Amino acid sequence: MASLELIGVKKRYGAQEILKGIDISVEAGEFLVLVGPSGCGKSTLLNIVAGLDSATEGDVRIGGRSVKEEHPSERDIAMVFQSYALYPNMTVRQNISFGMEMRKVPKPERERAVQEVAKLLQIDHLLARKPSQLSGGQRQRVAMGRALVRKPRIFLFDEPLSNLDAQLRVDMRTEIKKLHQRLGATIVYVTHDQIEAMTLASRIAVMRGGELQQLGTPAEVYSQPANAFVAGFMGSPRMNLAPARLVEYADGPALGLALEIQSGDRLKARIPLPAQPAAVRAYAGREIIAGVRAEAIGFGGGRLNGHRRAVEASVEIIEPTGADTLAVLLVGGREFTARLGPDFPLKPGERGEFHFDLSKLVFFDPRTEQRIA
Amino acid sequence: MASAAWESPQMVKGRGSRLSRAVIYGLLGFFAFVYLLPLVVMLLTSFKPLAEIYAGNMVALPRQWTVEPWVKAWEEVCVGLLCRGIKGYFWISVKMTFFAVLISTAVGAVNGYVLTKWRFRGANLLFGFLLFGCFIPFQIVLIPMAAVLGKMGLASSTTGLVLVHVVYGLAFTTLYFRNYYAVFPDELIKAAMIDGARFWSIFFRILLPNSGPIIAVTVIWQFTNIWNDFLFGASFSTGESAPMTVALNNVVNTSTGEREYNVHMAAAMIAALPTLMVYVFGGRYFLRGLMAGSVKG
Amino acid sequence: MAAGRTPSMPGARRWLQRNLPKIVLSPTVAASLVFVYGFIAWTTLLSFTRSKTIPNFDLVGFLQYVRVWEHPRWQVAIHNLFAFGTLYIGLCLAIGLLLAILLDQRIRLEGALRAVYLYPMALSFIVTGTAWKWMLNPGLGLEKLVQGWGWTGFTFDWIVNEDMAIYTVVIAGVWQASGFVMAMFLAGLRGIDDEILKAASMDGASAPRIYLRIVLPMLRPIFVSAVVILAHLAIKSYELVVALTGGGPGYATELPSTFMYVHTFTRNELGMGAASAVMMLLTVAAIMVPYLYSEMRSAHRPAH
């Protein structure tokens, strides 16, 4: 297993800049997920790592050595594609051993390797079949088998689960995670599905418009998004982002900060805040964007303490999911999605008291959309 | 007469009244008759002795079936000054068509592969440049080609004709393969590259084995056009080295002596049989070839 | 560890691999340059020279073009091209469309019928010409057949009639090509969503109305394609005339293509032959270029 470094990678197609300078370093054995909306450049970046595309500027280093000039087959990588890319005219056995054939590995050795991998992925009974005779999940495993048999330094996955139905997708996700644990492989995985990203990654790289928005662990990306885009993209339901005003008020002898939320001429909501770092205090009297996750909102008084504040809100919509209830609340005229218990009693139109866990609040600058704190 | 407030959708396609169905079938049958008539007439005439032709009419069944016209056409009929039948010319056509189809298809396949899977700047422009050859009236190249063939010592030779047909067939074969490979999944190519396959391995191990349909279409199209060609054959070959179509024209249009219509028809049938057989057995691909040529780019 | 990387292939082989696509393509490109573009240039050059039996490079401006246009045979050829062309295209379109609409009505034996209408395209023009020449033979063909049925006054000697001979070419040509037009229209008709027709029916439109107002307009691109292809075939048609009438009687069925051939190979007038060929090319270009241009424009316009 090897490490991977992307250093100042840029990609231009004529006048269009697809990648605007990407710097990422992946340690050996890490599972890096590149996630972002379509068109963000993640697949292009993966192709550049693979050698299927070349960077206009910048370097790609595997195991400390630059591979920029090397042909894909010389980089000691393996790739699993969204459409599996199994050769339709070959049997499963031939599909898996094709790479070895190209490298002139002698037949007995090829046979052994194929058997080993087939047993591992439980496809040994399918070796004589052709791809058209396999189900989606089976094809996926053959594609993985083809990658495994190379014993590469790095595994690349290009949206491998997008073509599977929902249940199968969950099963395969677990398979891939098991593989990572068992082999300790360095994996670079591209997906547009942020749930996949969260569940599989040891680190996530969020991309948008050819630029890296944030590189961090799932927890970091989830709770401390670097900007409003990451906040809205990761997590389902997305983080609640509300434009608000930060005001100072007299709190006894000291000055406290409160959040004022108002939309149109609805009732203004005022939420006093606990002590905030200097960066936030600098925004006193100004517009700000407040972000809070659905889980940080709860129903009822609960145990109010330093950072839990009671807020009144009216219920717009309820979506019971079985395990919990997602409720869209109106606070100060703005919508907030809350994740509440499965036996949430209120109906749409009713008002109630909710509590917000303000320690989970994050703030963004309204103009730059970067996180303040 | 009571009628529905609006006619059911079936009126447009399918179950109409019995009268309209009868009319439809009647028309179709009439046209089928008209389309088949020349073929039937040719066949009937080719099996009749000459006397019957002069005595009877063209759709009358032969009272005395004879294959003599066919034998005569194959072995004895006069083409120009030689009276050795058309078999020699038939074989010339076979040789010429075989090599021309083989080479133009093979080169077209590789061209299509390069133009779609090895994107380089100007690939599309180059394709347009090559495509032009599909549209030119070939009269425009006759004079220079005759001169060049003469200089190369290939005037009036099968090799010369093969060269001509390959050169002018390349535009079509490249078009067919290019359009087919354009929608061939790129990921298969990528996977093969990662597996270590290079330029030729990808072509022979991945693309070609999955190209059955387009090879059939291209081969049938080329075969039909090259076998049926007359213009190039007439312009670039003389006498004994002429292909089948030229020989046939020669036979039919000689105005010396008695017109042996039955032999002429037999000769025409012999000339038509190869492409007709290909049509009968490969009709689906024949049609695709026709349509592919009409749906551009 | 050595700094820098080790190239995995020696320089020359690398260059070969990187440029292999272009190298592989070059024979075809070269062939096209020489045999298509080069030859067109050559012929065009010849059309401006005094060449007769052999090429001669004395430039004489447009002399040959003038000679061609003033030639009575060329004038007949042009007149024939129009007469033949319009009838050929018109009849092929009409019959092709009719057959396609009929076949689209869920007919039994549709496959067989389609095969029957299309097979003439598989035949050489020479074979087609031979067959029709025989059928239209005044003494022994259609004329005799109909007379034999009792209609003794029937004459059908168009093929030897100076004024009517060109129409025999139309008959044979339409017989050959209308099946192709039918196939194009049938494919187009099949591509029309049934639901549109159902909606129209529910709106109260009758069958003929639906065809006229909805179906035919949707087939317009096919009309255009068909016209372009048929015009192309008409301009190129050479073998058909040669086999059917030999250009005759006299030169009553002369077309630009036969004119060109005769003057180049038989009458030793290379300059005139070249000029007529160039004019054929220009006519084809005048049709194809706008068509291709509009096709490429619309191909670059689709919603993304």
Side-chain angles (χ1 to χ4, degrees), chain A residues 238-301:
Chain A
R238 41 173 65 212
M239 181 185 270
N240 294 301
L241 295 173
R245 219 181 162 75
L246 204 59
V247 293
E248 284 180 327
Y249 67 99
D251 183 18
L255 275 179
L257 278 178
L259 212 54
E260 272 188 2
I261 304 175
Q262 183 175 32
S263 173
D265 48 343
R266 302 285 196 98
L267 220 53
K268 192 187 319 202
R270 203 161 199 267
I271 307 174
L273 298 172
Q276 296 293 329
V280 179
R281 286 206 301 275
Y283 277 77
R286 289 156 61 185
E287 307 281 334
I288 204 172
I289 296 184
V292 69
R293 289 266 175 212
E295 301 82 56
I297 306 176
F299 180 56

Side-chain angles (χ1 to χ4, degrees), chain A residues 12 15 97 142 154 174 238 266 273 314:
Chain A
R12 257 190 299 273
S97 60
V142 175
I154 300 186
T174 319
R238 41 173 65 212
R266 302 285 196 98
L273 298 172
S314 67

Side-chain angles (χ1 to χ4, degrees), chain A residues 47 52 73-74 79 81 83 85-87 89 99 101-102 146 150, chain B residues 187-188 190-198 201 205-206 209-210:
Chain A
N47 282 338
L52 296 168
S73 57
E74 291 158 6
M79 194 151 161
F81 296 89
S83 67
L86 299 181
Y87 309 121
N89 52 305
E101 238 189 279
M102 287 293 113
R146 187 169 63 181
R150 295 201 57 153
Chain B
E187 290 195 340
L188 280 178
K190 287 187 193 169
M193 281 179 89
I194 292 187
D195 271 340
R198 303 298 177 114
S201 301
R205 299 292 303 267
I206 314 289
N210 292 303

Side-chain angles (χ1 to χ4, degrees), chain B residues 10 30 36 38 55 63-64 72 91 98 125 129 158 161 174 199 217 236 240 242 252 294:
Chain B
Q10 267 96 343
F30 168 71
L36 284 172
R63 252 169 293 169
Q64 203 187 346
K72 200 152 185 208
W91 292 122
F98 176 76
L125 217 62
F129 175 81
T158 312
L161 279 177
T174 305
F199 187 84
V217 167
F236 304 131
E240 283 178 58
V252 170
S294 64

Side-chain angles (χ1 to χ4, degrees), chain B residues 6-15 21 24-25 27-29 31-32 34-42 45 53-59 107 110-111 114-115 118 120 126 128-130 132-148 151 163 167-168 170 174 198-200 224 227-231 234-236 245 248-249 252-253 259 261 264-265 268-269 271-272 275-276 279 286-287 290-291 293-294 296, chain C residues 9 17 20-22 24-25 28-29 31-33 35-37 39-40 42-44 46 95 98-99 102-108 113-127 130-135 137 140-142 144-145 149 174-175 178-180 183-184 187 189 194 197-198 201-202 204-207 210-211 225 229 232 236 238-239 242-243 257 260-261 264-265 270 273-274 277-278 280-281 284 288 291-292 295:
Chain B
W6 44 270
E7 292 176 341
S8 66
Q10 267 96 343
M11 275 309 279
V12 181
K13 283 192 189 218
R15 320 285 112 90
R21 294 301 277 181
I24 293 177
Y25 276 102
L27 272 172
L28 287 172
F31 277 106
V34 173
Y35 276 92
L36 284 172
L37 189 61
L39 186 61
V40 167
V41 167
M42 271 208 291
T45 309
I53 296 178
Y54 282 107
N57 68 47
M58 68 183 191
V59 297
V107 178
V110 178
N111 287 347
V114 169
L115 285 172
W118 293 89
F120 53 89
L126 205 58
F129 175 81
L130 290 178
F132 188 61
C134 288
F135 305 126
I136 55 171
F138 291 127
Q139 279 78 5
I140 195 78
V141 303
L142 290 184
I143 301 174
M145 184 54 98
V148 166
K151 289 219 183 80
L163 174 69
V167 160
Y168 296 110
L170 279 179
T174 305
R198 303 298 177 114
F199 187 84
W200 290 113
T224 306
W227 181 271
N228 286 343
D229 161 75
F230 176 79
L231 185 64
S235 309
F236 304 131
T245 41
L248 175 65
N249 187 50
V252 170
N253 281 322
R259 289 282 185 92
Y261 293 111
H264 294 179
M265 291 303 123
M269 284 304 304
T275 46
L276 262 185
Y279 175 75
F286 182 82
L287 183 60
L290 275 181
M291 303 302 289
S294 64
K296 313 276 189 282
Chain C
M9 279 170 113
Q17 273 289 328
L20 200 49
K22 295 197 191 140
V24 159
L25 211 47
T28 307
V29 173
S32 192
L33 265 174
F35 293 103
V36 175
Y37 295 95
F39 279 8
I40 292 179
W42 187 335
T43 305
T44 313
L46 271 185
I95 295 179
L98 175 65
L99 288 176
L102 290 176
L103 277 181
D104 193 32
Q105 306 298 322
R106 298 208 203 118
I107 303 291
R108 263 182 292 182
L113 282 171
R114 242 181 27 217
V116 166
Y117 300 139
L118 197 55
Y119 88 86
M121 279 299 280
L123 299 176
S124 162
F125 282 110
I126 301 287
V127 170
T130 304
W132 278 95
K133 183 172 179 175
W134 168 238
M135 280 177 62
N137 183 310
L140 297 163
L142 197 59
K144 186 172 190 209
L145 178 71
W149 285 345
V174 169
W175 176 80
S178 43
F180 176 33
M184 288 177 73
L189 283 172
D194 257 353
L197 300 177
K198 287 189 198 152
S201 266
M202 295 214 287
S206 64
I210 293 181
Y211 269 104
S225 285
I229 294 176
H232 191 233
K236 280 172 74 159
Y238 170 70
E239 287 109 330
V242 166
S257 48
M260 185 271 171
Y261 191 86
T264 304
F265 292 101
L270 279 189
V278 171
M280 282 179 72
L281 178 68
V284 169
M288 300 286 336
Y291 174 69
L292 283 177
E295 283 284 297

